[in-house]
């Protein structure tokens, strides 16, 4: 009776009512409330909905069976192959769709259907590869943003190669929890490419200066990535070699920071020698052995003495010292070996090492100056705390008080009795006194001459008249 009433209704009712009827029949199927009708008859009635001319009716059936594990498989496959407006909700959630089904749908589906596949919680590597081959930006964005999707390293690099120029895509990929170091390096290259184009077209930097700045930044970033992923250095070195980015300059720069991990793995890969053997040779600090290893790796002859000297200096650094961008002892050892290199290569190499040394000393000076500023701020806060009563100190420690709080602090300070205390001279660096007024130039010169035993001289009064004009004029 239910099936006959349904079929009769479907022939005459408008689309909205037919959609409601399809939903009711699908829910009755899942609940087993079929009445006198057989499951085969109900299944046939539901299958007839696939031929309904209205997408609204077919979509209602797709929504009803979207999360069902008991739905007829041929019905689910028929709905999944429908237009994306109908199939997308079912494709995104149906547990009955297998990996083979999803790969087949990815090969022929519309954009909305591809996105529906990409946001599923069971996207395997085969399904991800089929989606990546479609090269759809919305699908790629959804796939990369799905942390549950499994994407092979090669496929992820292909995604970055195609869509890495999009900033939002780079942000989504960077947030993936399983991002390999090779993908992070590819993201860094695409970001640097976009920034380089921006500064050149905007006229911020000249071409030569931009090239040097980008080259230094990329090398520094590559070394930082290698240090952050010690377990992936071998695969990272193979990736750099395949991309043509494993250069002598990169190896030298990594050693100049005092870290031998990257150069050890690089020499092992270039010489086809176990990394443990290479590490023992480098730590042994035998210059002939290191030079032979560098020569076997095919490095330029002019770079061999400099790189060997830097490796030996890095091996002598204390074991507990954390590697930085550059180490001054290693830099100076490399400069000493660079003196004997003749020709243009030696000049350019020495200029690069001098530039790195100046950069390192400038950074150390900045760090020292910042430390002195912190000490000065601490001294000022301690002096302020000593000069205030206890109640005001408590309010200051709480911090963030409003205007009423500031008024209360002022009242507390004014209500305290004055206590005669001897004047104290609180000295800061370079002999300045905090509790005395700053003297003028004439007083400073007079005090200086007095300390040197020179007779004081009267400084001429500064005239306020404009030069070249007399009072008579």
């Amino acid at each position: 009776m239910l099936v006959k009433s349904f079929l009769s209704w479907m022939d005459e009712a408008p689309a909205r009512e037919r959609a409601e009827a399809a939903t009711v029949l699908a829910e009755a199927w899942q609940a087993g409330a079929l009445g006198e009708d057989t499951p085969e008859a109900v299944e046939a009635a539901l299958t007839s909905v696939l031929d309904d001319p209205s997408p609204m009716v077919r979509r209602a059936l797709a929504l009803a069976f979207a999360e069902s594990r008991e739905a007829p498989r041929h019905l689910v496959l028929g709905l999944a192959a429908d237009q994306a407006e109908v199939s997308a909700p079912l494709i995104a959630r149906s547990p009955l769709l297998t990996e083979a089904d999803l790969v087949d749908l990815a090969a022929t589906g519309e954009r909305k259907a591809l996105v529906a596949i990409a946001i599923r919680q069971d996207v395997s590597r085969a399904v991800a590869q089929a989606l990546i081959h479609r090269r759809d930006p919305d699908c790629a964005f959804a796939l990369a943003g799905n942390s549950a999707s499994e994407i092979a390293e090669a496929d992820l690099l292909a995604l970055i190669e195609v869509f890495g120029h999009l900033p939002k895509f780079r942000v989504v990929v960077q947030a993936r929890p399983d991002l390999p170091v090779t993908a992070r390096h590819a993201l860094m290259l695409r970001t640097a490419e976009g920034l380089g184009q921006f500064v050149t077209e905007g006229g911020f930097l000249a071409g030569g200066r931009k090239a040097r700045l980008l080259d230094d930044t990329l090398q520094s970033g590559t070394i930082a990535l290698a240090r952050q992923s010690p377990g992936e250095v071998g695969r990272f070195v193979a990736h750099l070699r395949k991309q043509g980015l494993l250069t002598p300059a990169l190896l030298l720069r990594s050693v100049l920071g005092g870290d031998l991990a990257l150069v050890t793995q690089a020499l092992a890969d270039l010489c086809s020698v176990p990394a443990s053997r290479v590490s023992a040779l480098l730590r042994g600090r035998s210059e002939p052995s290191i030079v032979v290893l560098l020569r076997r790796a095919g490095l330029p002859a002019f770079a061999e003495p400099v790189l060997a000297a830097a490796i030996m200096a890095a091996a002598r650094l204390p074991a507990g010292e954390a590697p930085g961008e550059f180490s001054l002892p290693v830099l100076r050892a490399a400069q000493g070996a660079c003196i004997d290199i003749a020709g243009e290569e030696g000049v350019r190499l020495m200029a690069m090492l001098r530039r790195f040394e100046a950069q390192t000393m400038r950074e150390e000076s900045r760090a020292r100056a910042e430390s002195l500023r912190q000490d000065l701020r601490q001294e000022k806060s301690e002096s302020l705390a000593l000069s205030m009563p206890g109640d005001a100190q408590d309010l200051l420690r709480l911090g963030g008080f409003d205007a009423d709080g500031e008024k209360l602090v002022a009242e507390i300070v004014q209500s305290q009795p004055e206590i005669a205390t001897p004047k104290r001279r609180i000295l800061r660096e370079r002999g300045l006194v905090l509790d005395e007024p700053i003297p003028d130039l004439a007083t400073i010169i007079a005090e200086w001459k007095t300390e040197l035993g020179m007779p004081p001289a009267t400084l001429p009064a500064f005239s306020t008249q404009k030069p070249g004009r007399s009072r008579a004029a």
Side-chain angles (χ1 to χ4, degrees):
M1 293 294 295
L2 179 62
V3 172
K4 292 182 179 180
S5 300
F6 174 77
L7 294 176
S8 176
W9 180 264
M10 295 292 288
D11 291 337
E12 302 175 358
R16 184 177 299 276
E17 294 180 2
R18 297 201 308 271
E20 293 176 357
T23 302
V24 170
L25 187 60
E27 292 175 351
W29 162 270
Q30 297 179 70
L34 304 181
E36 299 178 359
D37 296 308
T38 63
E40 292 77 10
V42 177
E43 184 176 327
L46 290 172
T47 305
S48 67
V49 179
L50 298 178
D51 300 325
D52 194 284
S54 173
M56 180 189 301
V57 179
R58 304 196 302 272
R59 179 181 173 85
L61 187 61
L63 288 171
F65 283 133
E67 299 180 5
S68 175
R69 294 183 177 274
E70 307 298 333
R73 177 169 167 76
H74 72 278
L75 193 61
V76 171
L77 290 178
L79 291 170
D82 207 327
Q83 65 188 64
E85 181 184 355
V86 174
S87 63
L90 182 136
I91 292 176
R93 293 180 286 173
S94 177
L96 298 179
L97 294 175
T98 64
E99 181 182 75
D101 297 331
L102 295 174
V103 170
D104 183 64
L105 291 171
T108 59
E110 303 174 32
R111 170 173 292 185
K112 189 178 292 187
L114 295 179
V115 173
I117 299 173
I119 63 176
R120 288 176 61 94
Q121 295 301 305
D122 58 349
V123 179
S124 63
R125 293 193 174 192
V127 176
Q129 187 177 45
L131 292 173
I132 292 170
H133 284 169
R134 296 296 302 272
R135 296 200 171 194
D136 183 84
D138 294 337
C139 175
F141 189 86
L143 181 64
N146 183 3
S147 59
S149 62
E150 298 179 6
I151 308 177
E153 184 175 338
D155 293 332
L156 193 56
L157 292 175
L159 266 182
I160 297 173
E161 180 66 25
V162 177
F163 302 107
H165 63 284
L166 302 174
K168 290 184 178 181
F169 178 80
R170 294 197 300 265
V171 172
V172 169
V173 175
Q174 186 67 35
R176 288 185 64 86
D178 57 343
L179 195 65
V181 64
T182 53
R184 283 183 281 158
H185 184 260
L187 287 173
M188 183 185 69
L189 293 180
R190 297 309 303 269
T191 303
E193 180 183 338
L195 290 175
Q197 185 178 1
F198 172 75
V199 298
T200 301
E201 294 178 354
F204 298 101
L205 291 176
R209 187 176 179 186
K210 182 210 75 171
R212 170 178 287 185
L213 180 61
L214 282 181
D215 189 52
D216 287 348
T217 304
L218 289 175
Q219 287 186 5
S220 178
T222 302
I223 295 169
L225 286 174
R227 290 175 182 171
Q228 293 170 6
S229 308
E232 303 179 64
V233 177
R235 190 165 72 251
F236 189 35
V237 166
H239 170 75
L240 293 175
R241 187 179 179 184
K242 182 179 179 181
Q243 299 293 324
L245 301 174
L246 192 65
T247 61
L250 177 65
L251 297 181
L252 177 59
R253 184 162 185 151
S254 68
V255 176
L256 292 176
D259 188 13
L260 298 178
L262 182 61
V263 72
T264 298
Q265 195 63 51
L267 292 176
D269 188 79
L270 293 170
C271 301
S272 300
V273 178
S276 58
R277 177 61 178 162
V278 175
S279 179
L281 290 174
L282 299 186
R283 296 291 177 183
R285 300 195 297 252
S286 173
E287 184 175 2
S289 301
I290 295 175
V291 171
V292 169
L293 194 63
L294 297 175
R295 193 166 299 163
R296 182 176 175 180
L299 296 178
F302 71 89
E304 290 176 2
V306 178
L307 194 52
I311 289 173
M312 291 189 292
R316 286 193 294 266
L317 292 176
E321 183 175 343
E325 186 170 7
F326 296 112
S327 172
L328 283 178
V330 181
L331 273 170
R332 285 162 184 165
Q335 289 174 3
C338 189
I339 295 176
D340 299 330
I341 300 177
E344 182 182 356
E345 292 85 359
V347 174
R348 294 173 60 186
L349 193 55
M350 178 61 79
M352 182 185 70
L353 294 174
R354 292 287 190 186
R355 180 161 51 89
F356 291 163
E357 181 185 18
Q359 176 183 339
T360 305
M361 297 183 69
R362 183 166 60 249
E363 290 176 355
E364 290 185 356
S365 298
R366 287 173 180 168
R368 192 176 299 111
E370 183 61 28
S371 177
L372 292 175
R373 289 192 187 97
Q374 294 291 342
D375 294 342
L376 182 58
R377 294 190 189 102
Q378 183 66 22
E379 292 176 4
K380 286 183 177 180
S381 62
E382 292 177 357
S383 301
L384 179 61
L386 289 174
S387 63
M388 298 185 69
D391 295 339
Q393 294 179 27
D394 293 338
L395 287 176
L396 283 178
R397 279 194 295 268
L398 291 175
F401 48 83
D402 52 11
D404 294 335
E406 294 179 359
K407 182 178 180 182
L408 180 59
V409 171
E411 292 177 355
I412 294 175
V413 174
Q414 293 174 3
S415 64
Q416 297 295 324
E418 296 184 0
I419 303 175
T421 56
K423 292 185 177 180
R424 294 181 300 169
R425 293 168 61 86
I426 304 174
L427 299 181
R428 61 168 76 166
E429 292 190 7
R430 301 190 179 181
L432 295 181
V433 182
L434 296 180
D435 57 351
E436 292 182 1
I438 299 177
D440 57 9
L441 180 61
T443 305
I444 293 175
I445 295 176
E447 290 180 356
W448 174 67
K449 288 187 174 184
T450 302
E451 292 177 359
L452 296 179
M454 301 172 60
T458 303
L459 292 177
F462 293 98
S463 175
T464 59
Q465 295 183 0
K466 294 183 179 179
R469 299 182 63 182
S470 62
R471 291 183 180 274

